[in-house]
Amino acid sequence: QKEVEQNSGPLSVPEGAIASLNCTYSDRGSQSFFWYRQYSGKSPELIMSIYSNGDKEDGRFTAQLNKASQYVSLLIRDSQPSDSATYLCYRGGNQFYFGTGTSLTVIP
Amino acid sequence: GAVVSQHPSRVICKSGTSVKIECRSLDFQATTMFWYRQFPKQSLMLMATSNEGSKATYEQGVEKDKFLINHASLTLSTLTVTSAHPEDSSFYICSANSGGLAGEQYFGPGTRLTVT
């Protein structure tokens, strides 16, 4: 079983809609999670981190962590075409705990 | 946030030559660095984990004699692609882990290698 699994997509949403990206993890002891965004031809950039159960909001982005169910999600409200990218879920630690990424396309 | 640089950003070389790519953590000490390769429209693929002062750990299927990794200091790791061939043309990215409790990764901007 992979440490981190993401719904592979691709995911398409119309502009202005909410995009929901999900990730599950296998290690119950995991403490920190990160969402990265990768535009085509660029390296990933960190957009959100979450350490505690519940929601964390930053502008149009909300990260949700549920340790009991072992999932973490990223919601993007009022999606914009500029949000079109691949989103990577990462379980913090000293090893490679990345999901394979979910490709999101926001249709104008 | 922390900054990781990579050099060069783009390189074109002839088949059979070697290319060295540098990855530097500019404002923190990186006990661990990771090297990735990404082909167009594909996922990020981990090539190796580089630990300062010890040998790199390579992922299955990655030739350690072809992709030489040296992590000589807490701020510098290098990847050398030896005897490069056109199939080695790819986007090479490094990331660094500061070793803190959160364990977030900071990515370099990537190096686009084209082997002619």
Side-chain angles (χ1 to χ4, degrees):
Chain A
Q1 182 185 8
K2 291 183 182 177
E3 289 276 350
V4 176
E5 303 229 24
Q6 277 185 259
N7 50 334
S8 59
L11 177 66
S12 292
V13 300
E15 184 174 353
I18 295 175
S20 176
L21 306 159
N22 301 304
C23 179
T24 58
Y25 60 94
S26 59
D27 183 354
R28 285 195 169 274
S30 302
Q31 298 293 322
S32 53
F33 296 89
F34 306 87
W35 283 98
Y36 291 80
R37 175 176 62 197
Q38 186 179 22
Y39 291 115
S40 180
K42 302 290 186 184
S43 69
E45 57 177 327
L46 179 64
I47 55 171
M48 287 286 285
S49 61
I50 187 164
Y51 309 107
S52 308
N53 265 332
D55 295 359
K56 178 182 177 183
E57 193 173 308
D58 183 359
R60 295 185 296 110
F61 297 95
T62 299
Q64 299 175 319
L65 175 59
N66 184 322
K67 291 189 177 182
S69 300
Q70 295 176 241
Y71 80 78
V72 58
S73 61
L74 179 70
L75 301 178
I76 306 174
R77 290 184 301 282
D78 188 24
S79 296
Q80 301 295 310
S82 58
D83 295 327
S84 297
T86 296
Y87 290 81
L88 299 160
C89 171
Y90 178 67
R91 192 211 106 176
N94 216 26
Q95 297 186 43
F96 184 72
Y97 295 135
F98 275 100
T100 52
T102 301
S103 173
L104 170 67
T105 301
V106 180
I107 304 165
Chain B
V3 178
V4 174
S5 71
Q6 263 184 261
H7 179 79
S9 58
R10 215 173 259 278
V11 58
I12 301 172
C13 71
K14 292 189 176 180
S15 187
T17 60
S18 295
V19 173
K20 181 186 282 189
I21 302 170
E22 293 186 348
C23 178
R24 292 181 186 273
S25 56
L26 298 186
D27 51 3
F28 67 100
Q29 293 185 329
T31 53
T32 305
M33 289 183 171
F34 300 88
W35 286 97
Y36 311 85
R37 180 168 53 182
Q38 189 171 38
F39 295 105
K41 299 191 187 303
Q42 293 190 22
S43 300
L44 209 58
M45 288 183 55
L46 179 67
M47 298 176 67
T49 302
S50 170
N51 296 298
E52 187 269 337
S54 63
K55 290 185 179 180
T57 304
Y58 290 81
E59 295 300 301
Q60 193 170 11
V62 177
E63 300 172 57
K64 56 183 70 176
D65 293 332
K66 180 170 182 63
F67 298 99
L68 301 179
I69 290 172
N70 184 19
H71 195 152
S73 76
L74 286 170
T75 59
L76 174 64
S77 175
T78 60
L79 168 69
T80 302
V81 183
T82 62
S83 187
H85 288 99
E87 57 266 30
D88 298 322
S89 298
S90 188
F91 191 42
Y92 291 86
I93 308 172
C94 71
S95 72
N97 182 312
S98 65
L101 290 176
E104 62 264 53
Q105 296 288 328
Y106 301 101
F107 284 88
T111 296
R112 190 157 303 282
L113 170 64
T114 303
V115 185
T116 61

